[in-house]
Amino acid sequence: MGFADFASGAGLKMLDNWLATRSYIVGYTPSQADVASFKAFSTEPNPANYPHVYRWHKHIASYEPEFSALPGDPSKSYTSYGPEANELAVNPAKAPAAADDDDVDLFGSDEEEEDPETVRIREERLAEYKKKKAGKTKPAAKSIVTLDVKPWDDETSMKELEEHVRAIEKDGLVWGASKLVAVGFGIKKLQINLVIEDEKVSVDELQGQIEEDEDHVQSTDVAAMQKL
């Protein structure tokens, strides 16, 4: 097996043809074959000239943090993969002249229509890739919030106030540490930390729910908010 030099147009064309019906260099999942081939590039391939190579290169780049964990033999060179080595020399400029250029078409004419079976296989593999990509669960976006909860006066039971606040339970809400902070005239406010999942918990709605405890709560404010 052997790919050509990816620094040459002929080598890139060979790879583009190879990837026209494949999502990966070998098999149906990323492997060390893709890693070795990816590392053979010094620059990103041109999407206009080599669309299949460009699509593959962008996809494999997303696995870069996992390269060492991908299956396969990391010691093998990228030239160990691809078409049969005798189909094309590694450096086409040094390859012997073909017996009859009219009879040999290594890469296929741009004017030829694609074989329907080739198109079908490519579309199936692209659909499989998109399905796998869509199935990957992204980590939930979270924020850490510090709320100030102010009582009516210095006679308000801050213990009961905090108990009412912590009694609020929501999916995606985790209460954290709290403390009492003096605001003047003997009055203290409750400052409490919480972690929320952004898609599940609205801070505005949570503040409204806390302020429903009219016996203890005068108002609430967001003292700080930061994405995790």
Side-chain angles (χ1 to χ4, degrees):
M1 306 286 285
F3 278 126
D5 180 5
F6 293 159
S8 70
L12 285 170
K13 185 65 176 177
M14 175 193 286
L15 181 61
D16 199 61
N17 285 342
W18 182 262
L19 292 171
T21 58
R22 297 171 176 83
S23 296
Y24 303 100
I25 299 298
V26 174
Y28 299 97
T29 58
S31 68
Q32 292 300 324
D34 296 285
V35 174
S37 300
F38 180 88
K39 289 182 177 179
F41 283 82
S42 57
T43 59
E44 189 174 82
N46 186 323
N49 296 335
Y50 312 106
H52 305 302
V53 177
Y54 178 78
R55 178 257 307 162
W56 165 85
H57 192 274
K58 294 287 285 186
H59 177 48
I60 298 304
S62 68
Y63 288 93
E64 200 159 1
E66 308 168 38
F67 273 5
S68 61
L70 294 179
D73 183 356
S75 66
K76 293 180 70 174
S77 166
Y78 75 96
T79 57
S80 301
Y81 307 100
E84 289 298 326
N86 60 9
E87 291 180 16
L88 185 71
V90 170
N91 186 344
K94 297 180 181 179
D100 188 343
D101 289 342
D102 292 336
D103 296 334
V104 179
D105 186 1
L106 292 173
F107 308 117
S109 170
D110 291 338
E111 297 178 358
E112 292 179 359
E113 292 185 4
E114 286 190 278
D115 178 62
E117 182 65 13
T118 298
V119 174
R120 183 188 67 80
I121 293 172
R122 181 174 69 246
E123 294 302 322
E124 285 181 357
R125 288 177 176 169
L126 285 174
E128 179 185 354
Y129 159 71
K130 290 178 181 177
K131 184 177 179 181
K132 287 182 179 179
K133 199 74 172 176
K136 289 185 177 179
T137 304
K138 295 182 179 179
K142 296 182 180 180
S143 299
I144 182 168
V145 183
T146 301
L147 282 181
D148 284 345
V149 185
K150 300 174 184 177
W152 287 106
D153 51 40
D154 60 344
E155 295 182 359
T156 301
S157 171
M158 297 305 292
K159 180 179 179 182
E160 291 180 1
L161 182 150
E162 182 170 354
E163 287 175 350
H164 281 86
V165 170
R166 290 186 180 275
I168 298 173
E169 295 182 352
K170 291 176 177 287
D171 183 25
L173 167 65
V174 178
W175 294 107
S178 64
K179 63 181 179 180
L180 298 179
V181 180
V183 295
F185 305 102
I187 301 174
K188 294 182 178 180
K189 65 182 177 181
L190 173 69
Q191 192 168 83
I192 186 167
N193 295 324
L194 54 140
V195 176
I196 61 170
E197 289 187 26
D198 297 342
E199 291 187 359
K200 294 182 179 179
V201 180
S202 163
V203 175
D204 289 340
E205 290 180 6
L206 180 60
Q207 287 181 262
Q209 196 169 351
I210 293 172
E211 291 169 1
E212 289 176 4
D213 179 18
E214 297 178 352
D215 292 336
H216 299 90
V217 179
Q218 180 197 67
S219 63
T220 63
D221 289 305
V222 176
M225 186 171 182
Q226 176 180 330
K227 295 290 185 182
L228 288 178

